[in-house]
């Protein structure tokens, strides 16, 4: 039943799906009838890999700024609205869109009296104003912290552009405490804002792909059920013992009927392993050399094969799903080797995940299919297309292998990796269908997928990844009544215009959580 005219909701679940007559007959006289006037209904989107807590509460998105002036004026009006004692924060600035990277002089135009920071869309770079540099004592003679980098001008003065987290942390000193989410109250207000934004884009379920186990408690206190956003957590494997304890404690308490991290709203059943490096930073390890750099293969992963094997085996034997970050083909092969050994003859439905899996080959794809791996590739060519120029045109059809995943039968869990790329699922789907950058260049056309496949990956695929395909991901009798109303049928929209489709209403468990419908053509209740 690819399409239906009507459905019935009872107690937050779809109770019937079919023709108007069939559903009306079951609904009876006491039901509330809603006529959607021909608008399109889709299952709620499920983003399988993102990071809600990476955005400090009180930061604004700069993604829509098309030049430096626009960006400065957006930050300036934001500064007016924020308490005077805090950082003025923006994120998702795009150097391609505004024509260059930011410097301290740009941000001095926002304020010279308050520290200002704007994150680049990559998450790896940021720009700050002069006051932020001065407060932290960052002058000409300052020595860069290990793992971080301050860009400097010809005279050796910091330009205001900085790179990597150790450099950000230098800025967050006593007088200007860190705006990043590091405690429960910060996490709680951050999640509140995030949920509103998610609903406005049609998102009803998300997976936080890297949660320190202690912040799992923040999710619980925040209460996904009250907020109407279903959340799956992948716990940070750097805190392996605590993460395993949390999952085990849930298993024990759930036998007594208290299932804090394994219910319809909040789950924590997986552990993240960082193995390998960054695609955008050009540090991911490849089997063959980088384009134009015959001696450079990327940076060796942080573990030996034997160390990775032991870690994956430990997680697998604890009955837990492993989610392994691996980008380059060399890193992915190591991850698959470890999973293959850990599984051995165990027939368990493990659903171990490869996060990103950016550069593949036919051997890797076949192994992923044989080992029943869940694949969570990037969907960010729209924003980041030019970044993969460094990987060479011969690789583009082997990067973010979405079409191959459908051919090989590898479950595909669509995701934004927000804030690495924009949160809007319709923009992500446009990028998956067109593989066209903002600038209009197509990267790896063989990996384009159809609108139906992209919708499937953003609903059923991501539900499968968190073991929830029986309860969500489609409008099916018995599943959660999580659905959205959109302004236009995506299957009848030009691929380049998919991101213009507006979410009109978002329902989670049958409850309306977002409504921008203006009544034109009227949705009658
Ligand atoms: Zn991520």
């Amino acid at each position: 039943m690819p399409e239906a005219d009507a459905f019935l909701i009872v107690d937050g679940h779809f109770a019937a799906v079919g023709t108007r007559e069939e559903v009306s007959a079951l609904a009876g006289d006491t039901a509330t009838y809603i006529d959607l006037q021909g608008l399109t209904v889709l299952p709620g989107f499920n983003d399988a890999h993102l990071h809600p807590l990476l955005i400090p509460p009180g930061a604004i998105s700069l993604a829509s700024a098309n030049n430096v002036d626009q960006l400065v004026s957006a930050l300036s009006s934001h500064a007016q609205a924020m308490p005077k004692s805090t950082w003025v924060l923006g994120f998702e600035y795009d150097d391609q869109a505004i024509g260059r990277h930011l410097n301290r002089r740009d941000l001095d135009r926002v304020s010279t009296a308050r520290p200002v920071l704007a994150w680049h869309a990559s998450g790896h770079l940021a720009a700050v104003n002069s006051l932020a540099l001065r407060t932290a004592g960052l002058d000409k003679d300052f020595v860069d912290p290990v793992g971080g980098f301050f860009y400097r001008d010809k005279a050796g003065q910091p330009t205001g552009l900085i790179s990597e987290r150790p450099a950000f942390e230098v800025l967050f000193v006593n007088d200007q405490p860190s705006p990043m989410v590091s405690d429960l109250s910060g996490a709680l207000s951050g999640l509140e804002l995030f949920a509103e934004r998610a609903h406005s884009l049609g998102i009803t379920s998300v997976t936080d792909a890297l949660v320190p186990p202690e912040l799992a408690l923040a999710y619980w206190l925040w209460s996904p059920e009250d907020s109407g956003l279903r959340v799956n957590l992948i716990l940070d494997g750097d805190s392996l013992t605590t993460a395993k304890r949390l999952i085990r404690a849930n298993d024990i308490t759930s036998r007594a009927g208290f299932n804090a991290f394994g219910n319809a709203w909040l789950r924590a059943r997986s552990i993240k392993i960082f193995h390998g490096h960054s695609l955008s930073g050009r540090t991911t390890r490849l089997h063959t050399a980088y384009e134009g750099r015959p001696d450079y293969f990327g940076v060796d992963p942080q573990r030996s094969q034997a160390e990775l094997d032991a870690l994956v085996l430990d997680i697998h034997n604890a009955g837990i799903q492993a989610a392994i970050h691996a980008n380059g083909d060399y890193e992915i092969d190591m991850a698959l080797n470890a999973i293959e050994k850990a599984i051995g003859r165990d027939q368990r439905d493990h659903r171990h995940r490869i996060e990103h899996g950016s550069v593949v080959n036919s051997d890797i794809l076949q192994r992923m299919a044989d080992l029943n791996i869940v694949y969570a590739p990037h969907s960010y060519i729209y924003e980041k297309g030019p970044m993969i120029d460094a990987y060479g045109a011969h690789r583009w059809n082997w990067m973010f292998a979405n079409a191959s995943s459908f051919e090989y039968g590898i479950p595909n869990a669509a995701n934004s990796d927000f804030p690495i790329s924009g949160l809007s699922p319709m923009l992500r789907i446009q990028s998956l269908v067109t593989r066209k950058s903002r600038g209009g260049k197509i990267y790896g056309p063989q990996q384009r997928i159809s609108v139906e496949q992209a919708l499937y990956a953003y609903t059923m695929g991501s539900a499968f990844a968190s073991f929830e395909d029986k309860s969500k991901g489609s409008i099916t009798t018995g599943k959660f009544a999580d659905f959205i109303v959109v302004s236009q049928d995506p299957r009848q929209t030009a691929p380049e215009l998919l991101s213009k489709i507006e979410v009109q209403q978002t329902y989670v468990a049958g409850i309306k959580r977002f409504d921008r419908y203006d009544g034109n053509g009227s949705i009658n209740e």
Side-chain angles (χ1 to χ4, degrees):
M1 198 196 291
E3 285 181 54
D5 290 332
F7 52 73
L8 172 66
I9 299 169
V10 178
D11 290 337
H13 291 74
F14 295 116
V17 185
T19 64
R20 273 163 204 247
E21 293 71 33
E22 287 164 348
V23 172
S24 298
L26 287 164
D29 295 337
T30 56
T32 302
Y33 284 78
I34 302 176
D35 184 350
L36 293 173
Q37 302 283 321
L39 287 175
T40 298
V41 174
L42 300 170
F45 292 123
N46 182 343
D47 193 318
H49 178 137
L50 45 61
H51 306 281
L53 295 177
L54 275 189
I55 296 306
I60 55 156
S61 173
L62 303 169
S64 58
N66 288 320
N67 56 52
V68 175
D69 287 343
Q70 275 178 17
L71 186 148
V72 166
S73 94
L75 269 176
S76 300
S77 36
H78 181 59
Q80 304 287 321
M82 296 299 288
K84 292 264 180 289
S85 58
T86 57
W87 283 81
V88 180
L89 299 167
F91 66 100
E92 294 181 311
Y93 97 72
D94 183 341
D95 62 303
Q96 313 261 347
I98 64 172
R100 61 172 171 81
H101 273 294
L102 294 170
N103 59 48
R104 64 190 158 87
R105 286 195 188 81
D106 299 324
L107 299 181
D108 288 347
R109 289 166 59 199
V110 177
S111 178
T112 52
R114 303 163 65 184
V116 181
L117 185 147
W119 267 277
H120 182 247
S122 68
H124 293 273
L125 290 165
V128 293
N129 67 345
S130 299
L131 179 73
L133 291 170
R134 216 164 40 238
T135 310
L138 302 173
D139 55 14
K140 197 167 178 296
D141 303 321
F142 174 75
V143 179
D144 288 339
V146 175
F149 180 70
F150 285 78
Y151 288 79
R152 289 163 198 268
D153 61 20
K154 285 200 188 94
Q157 294 289 351
T159 65
L161 187 64
I162 63 181
S163 171
E164 299 301 345
R165 187 162 279 241
F168 306 160
E169 279 161 10
V170 171
L171 296 162
F172 305 147
V173 292
N174 293 340
D175 288 353
Q176 306 295 349
S178 171
M180 299 304 292
V181 170
S182 57
D183 61 4
L184 286 179
S185 65
L188 291 172
S189 53
L191 288 171
E192 206 53 56
L193 291 168
F194 176 79
E196 273 175 36
R197 193 155 172 226
H199 287 146
S200 75
L201 297 168
I203 297 170
T204 56
S205 290
V206 296
T207 288
D208 184 326
L210 185 67
V211 191
E214 61 276 16
L215 281 187
L217 186 64
Y219 276 100
W220 184 73
L221 288 170
W222 167 65
S223 181
E225 181 165 9
D226 292 342
S227 309
L229 186 66
R230 302 186 199 272
V231 179
N232 176 50
L233 307 179
I234 302 181
L235 301 171
D236 187 351
D238 282 354
S239 311
L240 185 63
T241 309
T242 321
K244 281 166 68 184
R245 265 188 208 137
L246 186 137
I247 294 172
R248 193 161 49 99
N250 185 69
D251 290 343
I252 294 165
T253 58
S254 70
R255 276 176 235 139
F258 179 67
N259 198 350
F261 293 100
N263 59 52
W265 294 95
L266 183 59
R267 304 166 65 83
R269 316 295 307 160
S270 344
I271 289 182
K272 177 81 165 274
I273 301 173
F274 259 96
H275 189 72
H277 301 287
S278 159
L279 194 76
S280 57
R282 291 165 213 167
T283 47
T284 196
R285 180 72 161 81
L286 301 171
H287 281 303
T288 52
Y290 275 67
E291 188 74 353
R293 300 171 73 182
D295 299 324
Y296 181 66
F297 295 78
V299 177
D300 281 338
Q302 40 278 76
R303 291 175 206 80
S304 68
Q305 184 70 58
E307 287 166 334
L308 183 64
D309 292 351
L311 185 54
V312 175
L313 182 66
D314 185 24
I315 292 170
H316 179 82
N317 283 349
I320 295 168
Q321 178 188 37
I324 309 179
H325 165 109
N327 272 307
D329 44 14
Y330 183 96
E331 297 168 359
I332 301 168
D333 267 326
M334 286 183 77
L336 295 177
N337 293 342
I339 292 170
E340 186 167 20
K341 286 177 221 166
I343 297 170
R345 287 188 205 145
D346 185 356
Q347 296 288 309
R348 181 179 114 219
D349 182 10
H350 55 80
R351 304 195 194 180
H352 294 318
R353 304 169 46 141
I354 299 286
E355 305 305 312
H356 312 322
S358 297
V359 183
V360 301
N361 54 49
S362 56
D363 178 55
I364 283 175
L365 291 165
Q366 191 57 56
R367 291 183 79 196
M368 286 174 78
D370 293 344
L371 293 168
N372 297 311
I373 301 296
V374 175
Y375 182 36
H378 278 304
S379 58
Y380 61 21
I381 282 178
Y382 178 78
E383 290 98 333
K384 301 216 183 292
M387 178 270 288
I388 68 169
D389 282 331
Y391 291 85
H394 68 284
R395 281 201 183 91
W396 295 341
N397 277 318
W398 293 104
M399 294 183 74
F400 326 123
N402 285 289
S404 298
S405 75
F406 283 91
E407 283 154 30
Y408 282 76
I410 303 162
N412 183 315
N415 65 91
S416 65
D417 201 11
F418 171 84
I420 303 304
S421 63
L423 186 59
S424 164
M426 286 313 312
L427 175 58
R428 303 273 61 82
I429 287 170
Q430 174 178 315
S431 187
L432 289 166
V433 170
T434 64
R435 295 201 38 126
K436 196 185 265 190
S437 70
R438 198 196 308 261
K441 179 168 167 184
I442 294 173
Y443 290 87
Q446 287 172 27
Q447 293 296 349
R448 286 184 295 208
I449 55 176
S450 68
V451 170
E452 286 86 349
Q453 287 172 325
L455 288 169
Y456 188 88
Y458 239 108
T459 52
M460 283 305 297
S462 32
F464 183 85
S466 61
F467 295 87
E468 294 174 287
D469 45 311
K470 298 270 190 306
S471 60
K472 57 167 89 154
S474 61
I475 296 172
T476 302
T477 302
K479 287 192 175 184
F480 302 139
D482 301 350
F483 63 95
I484 60 174
V485 181
V486 293
S487 57
Q488 200 174 314
D489 184 343
R491 297 168 310 171
Q492 292 174 16
T493 303
E496 284 76 14
L497 296 177
L498 284 165
S499 63
K500 303 283 181 244
I501 294 178
E502 274 197 340
V503 172
Q504 299 290 321
Q505 295 182 329
T506 299
Y507 292 78
V508 189
I511 295 170
K512 187 158 63 183
R513 293 288 182 169
F514 172 76
D515 193 355
R516 74 149 57 88
Y517 195 64
D518 62 5
N520 226 338
S522 83
I523 293 179
N524 298 317
E525 290 198 32

